[in-house]
Structure formats: C-alpha cells, structure tokens
Amino acid sequence: MSKSVIQGLPRWTLVVPALAFLDLVLSWHRDLGAVLLILVCAGLGAAVFAAVHHAEVVAHRVGEPFGTLILALAVTIIEVALIVTLMASAGGDKAATLARDTVFAAVMITSNGILGLALVVGSLRHRVQTFRVQASYSALSVMTALVTLSLVLPTFTTSAPGPQFSSAQLAFAGVTSLVMYGVFVFIQTIRHRDYFLPAGTDGDTDEDEEHHAAAPSSATALLSLGMLLVCLVSVVGLAKTVSPNLESAVETAGLPLPVVGVVIALLVLLPETIAAVRAALRDRLQTSLNLALGSALASIGLTIPAIAIASIWLKGPLVLGLGGKEMVLFALTVVTGLFTLSTGRATLLQGATHLAVFSAFLFLAVSP
C-alpha cells in the first residue's frame, strides 16, 4: 500500500470516478464516433483501475485475508456486469458462449497467468518463496470441483441440445457454485483464517508490521467504498456502450468469437495482476496466491449463479460446456497446480511452467 493511500486518497482516484460517470452520461445511447469511442474506452479502463484501487484501500482497512477477498469480489462484480451487459446487447446465438468463454478465460488467467507471473517475479528477487499448502490446496480443490460441475458437465449431459444445461440442471449448478464458494469464504475468513495469512505470520495478528504500515482511517475507507460503487456503475454502463464496437473489431480482425471473452477477462483482471505481482515482490507469495486462486473461485462461484438468474430474461441459448481443447488445458492446469502447490516452496521453474500453459491458452484462443 503506497504512502499516499495511507495519508489520504490520491487525487486521481477521486477524479477518475467522476470523469468516468460523466463519460457514461455523455455517451449513453449515442453512436460512438472515433473521438467518443476513445474517450469511452479510456474511461472504462481508468474506472476499472480506480475500482480495484479503492477496493484495495478498503481491503487494507479490514486486513488479511479479508483484503484479498474484497479485491476478488470487486473484480468479479465487474466481470459479471460486463458479461450480462454484453449478452443483453448481443443477444441470440452470438452471446450463447460469452459467459463460458469469459469464465474459462478468467480461470486460465488467474491460475496460470497471474500465478505464473507472481512466481517468476518473486523468485527472480527472492530465489525461493514459501506459502501455506493448506490454503492453496483448498482453493485449488474447490476450483477444480466448480469448473468441472459448471463448465465440463454440460458437455456430457443429454437433457438439452448441445453442451448446455437444462433449466433444472442450470439451477442446480448455480446453487451448488454459490454454496461451495460461500463455504470457502467461511473457511478463509473464520474457521481457518490463519491458513490464508502470509507464511511466517502469526495467525493471531492481522498484518505483518514489517511489510505493512498503518491502515487508512474509517473515513478514508468509507470514501473509497463510495467511489468503488461509482466506478462499478460506470464500468457497467460504459461496457454496454462500447460492446457493439468490441464485437465488430473482433469480427473485422477475423478472430474467433471467444476472443471477446478473453479480452473482457484480461481487462478486468489486469489491476489484480499488478496487485499480485507487487505482493510477490514484497515476498508475500501467499497474498499473491490468495488473489489469483480467490479470483478464480469468485469468478466461477458468483458468475454462474448470476448467469443462471439472468438467463430467465435473456433470450437465446446458454452454452456452458467446454470443448475438448479447453478440457485438456484445464486438466493440464490442475495437474500443474497440484505439483506447484504441493511443497509450500516456489521457484522460477514452476512459474515458467504456468506461464507456458497460459501462453498456450492465448495462442489457441487466437488460432484454434
């Protein structure tokens, strides 16, 4: 946490939400010319960064592991809003796979991209980093179950045509995802909170004073919470405004439609990637793992129920089942994660392996 955040919110974090909201008002229900499109895209990106920054301020106030949980929830709310908004705008068959593509992209980005990058930069500075096996294994096991139940099973069910759930199956998947995520949050924040604290930190203390300064005041945290809400509203509105242009750009470039989901996930998770890398550089790899795996869990555990509810009024099919290529990548991710998280010690080689899997995902998304 930077000194400027502790002493008071930086000026840009107060200006950006206001400008993003003004950008939304000016562009709402208007055809975007070149200049207005640039402004909308700039406002959208800035609002995402500001939202996660304010979430980080609130997170620092409440301490670990609540801090990483708030960051994950904020990012997931943005992701769900973007998915539902784009599905409503596109409609029909064009939006059928958007939720699946975005959620799977978020899983691959967090469990391979963010995790691998944190391991690489952390090991380059500290050579070997330690973390708590109990927390990381717990998160990985829940993520594996959620992805399998929500994104793999639809490919093999027979109640609906294609890789889809029937209404009853979708409801079951949504409730199960929400319950499993709720249990994980209970374990993370109450029952076994000490598992998710950075290695070497006493479970009875909230923060390691060597690495963290005093938390921001309650007034600062409340102001950040208000700015966070403004940013979320702006992100949802600006995403709806720019969504036709995003889809047209992908089609014009001749790229597969799933690239839209990858772009959404990359945009939403970029600020969290920076937070995870900063934590790894401070030799707090457990915080990086909490951010990466916690975001993957929140993405599935909250997005699937939200999409299940939204499907009541959204028209068109909802395809959630992964294809064979994606299943292979997910299986490789799980196996790689098991080996990486089994020892409690991380090196450069493990980070490079995860980045290799992530590179394969990006390459195959563009060139299937």
Side-chain angles (χ1 to χ4, degrees), residues 246-334:
L246 174 61
E247 293 169 358
S248 299
V250 170
E251 293 177 354
T252 301
L255 298 175
L257 192 59
V259 172
V260 176
V262 176
V263 171
I264 294 173
L266 285 172
L267 172 66
V268 172
L269 292 169
L270 179 59
E272 195 155 19
T273 303
I274 297 173
V277 169
R278 281 168 32 192
L281 289 173
R282 296 197 305 266
D283 200 18
R284 296 176 69 85
L285 184 60
Q286 186 60 57
T287 300
S288 300
L289 294 178
N290 291 346
L291 282 166
L293 298 177
S295 294
L297 290 174
S299 178
I300 311 168
L302 299 180
T303 301
I304 298 301
I307 295 302
I309 295 174
S311 65
I312 297 175
W313 71 83
L314 291 177
K315 298 180 180 179
L318 177 61
V319 176
L320 290 178
L322 296 173
K325 175 187 63 181
E326 288 77 17
M327 291 184 195
V328 171
L329 287 173
F330 175 64
L332 181 58
T333 297
V334 172

Side-chain angles (χ1 to χ4, degrees), residues 214-241:
S217 65
S218 298
T220 300
L222 287 174
L223 178 58
S224 283
L225 182 61
M227 292 294 100
L228 175 60
L229 295 176
V230 174
C231 288
L232 293 177
V233 171
S234 300
V235 167
V236 174
L238 291 174
K240 180 176 177 62
T241 301

